[in-house]
Amino acid sequence: MKKLKELFNKIKELPDKDRQDITSLLWQLICYSPKFPLRLQQQQLLDEATPFSLEADDPHFSRSALKFNGFIWGNGSRKVLITHGWGSKAADFIDLIAALRSIEDLQVIAFDAPGNGSSEGELSNLMLFAKATEAVITTYGSPEIMIGHSLGVMANTMATQETGTKPNLLISIAPMVRLKENFIATMTNADVPKIAQDKFFENFEAIFGMPTSQFDLSEMYTPGTAVRHWLAYDPEDKVAPFAYLQELLTACPAISTKEYEATGHERIIKDTRLIADILKLVRG
C-alpha cells in the first residue's frame, strides 16, 4: 500500500501534467495491486490447505507466463471456486472459507491472481484474473458454485464464457461493472488532467486491441450464464456505484439480489449476514 500511496502522491504533485507524457506512471497507478501481509489466522488457514501453482500468460506487461498460487480445502464432490477482487487475495475470504468448510460434501478452491497476494507479477489486470480463473477450471474441472467479489465477478463472467462452464450457482459480491469509470475516478483523484487521461486510454486500446469501454459487465454478461445467479451489494458502495449495477439488473431481471447496507466495497465479504446467506444458498 505504501508504494501505491507514494505513486499517487508523485503523480498528484507533478507540475504541468497536461504538457508531459505521464502514461507510464498512470499504468503503474492503475495496474499496481497493493499487497498486504497475511495475518496469523490467514496463514493458519492456508497451512491447512493443499497448495497448487498454475500459470497464466501475460503478453502485455511481463510478456511471460506468470505463476500464480492456489489453495484447496476438502475433497467433496461439489466444487466451489472463489475469485477475489482487486488488491485482495484468497486468504481475505477467511471467514467465508471457514464457514464453507463446515459443509462436508464441498471442495473449496481459491487462488491469488497474478500480481496479487503471493503470486508472481508486478502489475495486474482483468485479463490476468480471467486467465487464472480459466486455468483453475481447466485443471480441476468445472465448479458447481462460483463466487466472485468486485473485479473477480468480471473474471468469473469471462471465464465461464471461455470455458463453457455453467455453474449451478453463481454468487456475485459487490461487482465491478464499469472498469473505465473506475480508472477515470482513480486518475481524477490524482489530479490527472483529461488530456493525460485520454492519452492513457489511447495507449490502453493500442496495447489490448480494444477500448476500455468494452469492459462493462452489463455488456459482457450473458443471461443464462448460470442456472441461478445471486448478487449481493451495498447500495452506498463508493467503488462500484449502484447506478452502474442497476443497468445490469435491468438488463438481466433473472438475477436475484440482496442489499447489505453499511458494509462497504471491501468489507462486505466479511459480513456475517452475507456469509450466513451464502451458506443457505450453497446448502440449497
Side-chain angles (χ1 to χ4, degrees):
M1 195 66 175
K2 180 181 178 181
K3 177 178 178 178
L4 189 61
K5 288 182 178 179
E6 291 175 347
L7 183 61
F8 180 88
N9 290 332
K10 179 180 180 179
I11 294 173
K12 193 176 182 69
E13 295 167 5
L14 278 176
D16 301 322
K17 288 191 283 284
D18 56 344
R19 298 185 181 181
Q20 55 182 310
D21 189 350
I22 61 171
T23 303
S24 61
L25 287 175
L26 294 181
W27 275 110
Q28 296 178 58
L29 178 67
I30 296 295
C31 295
Y32 174 76
S33 181
K35 300 173 180 63
F36 300 92
L38 291 167
R39 302 193 309 274
L40 176 60
Q41 295 91 336
Q42 291 177 323
Q43 184 60 62
Q44 291 173 338
L45 175 73
L46 299 186
D47 290 342
E48 295 171 358
T50 300
F52 66 84
S53 292
L54 297 173
E55 291 186 346
D57 185 42
D58 177 21
H60 304 110
F61 295 152
S62 68
R63 295 182 176 84
S64 65
L66 297 176
K67 289 184 179 179
F68 68 93
N69 300 317
F71 314 91
I72 301 174
W73 294 268
N75 55 7
S77 60
R78 302 172 63 205
K79 287 183 174 62
V80 179
L81 175 58
I82 300 175
T83 308
H84 67 77
W86 188 256
S88 186
K89 55 189 178 295
D92 289 337
F93 283 88
I94 179 172
D95 300 316
L96 176 59
I97 292 171
L100 290 172
R101 292 178 70 190
S102 68
I103 303 177
E104 293 185 0
D105 62 337
L106 294 186
Q107 179 183 69
V108 181
I109 306 174
F111 62 92
D112 295 345
N116 292 259
S118 63
S119 295
E120 291 183 347
E122 179 66 18
L123 301 179
S124 191
N125 58 67
L126 172 59
M127 308 301 286
L128 286 173
F129 270 67
K131 287 180 180 180
T133 309
E134 292 168 28
V136 173
I137 293 173
T138 300
T139 303
Y140 293 101
S142 295
E144 179 178 320
I145 301 160
M146 294 181 72
I147 302 172
H149 171 237
S150 188
L151 194 70
V153 175
M154 277 189 166
N156 280 351
T157 298
M158 296 172 68
T160 55
Q161 294 170 351
E162 288 296 318
T163 61
T165 297
K166 185 173 182 176
N168 287 339
L169 176 62
L170 180 63
I171 296 176
S172 298
I173 305 170
M176 192 72 70
V177 178
R178 291 187 183 179
L179 207 54
K180 181 175 183 178
E181 277 68 15
N182 184 264
F183 291 171
I184 291 173
T186 299
M187 291 188 284
T188 300
N189 287 338
D191 294 336
V192 176
K194 188 175 185 303
I195 188 171
Q197 293 187 27
D198 290 343
K199 187 171 291 187
F200 168 80
F201 287 123
E202 288 174 7
N203 190 238
F204 183 102
E205 184 170 354
I207 291 175
F208 284 93
M210 63 184 75
T212 332
S213 57
Q214 286 194 17
F215 295 101
D216 184 328
L217 190 60
S218 298
E219 301 294 330
M220 296 163 58
Y221 182 78
T222 303
T225 292
V227 175
R228 184 180 183 190
H229 189 176
W230 184 84
L231 189 151
Y233 68 97
D234 178 351
E236 300 301 323
D237 192 329
K238 304 302 181 185
V239 177
F242 179 73
Y244 301 155
L245 177 60
Q246 186 63 60
E247 295 179 7
L248 172 66
L249 300 180
T250 299
C252 305
I255 299 176
S256 301
T257 64
K258 187 167 182 178
E259 294 183 7
Y260 294 86
E261 294 183 356
T263 52
H265 189 74
E266 290 82 15
R267 294 195 58 80
I268 189 172
I269 63 172
K270 303 177 183 297
D271 188 82
T272 55
R273 299 166 298 169
L274 172 74
I275 292 173
D277 287 339
I278 290 177
L279 286 184
K280 290 179 184 177
L281 289 165
V282 172
R283 287 192 172 114

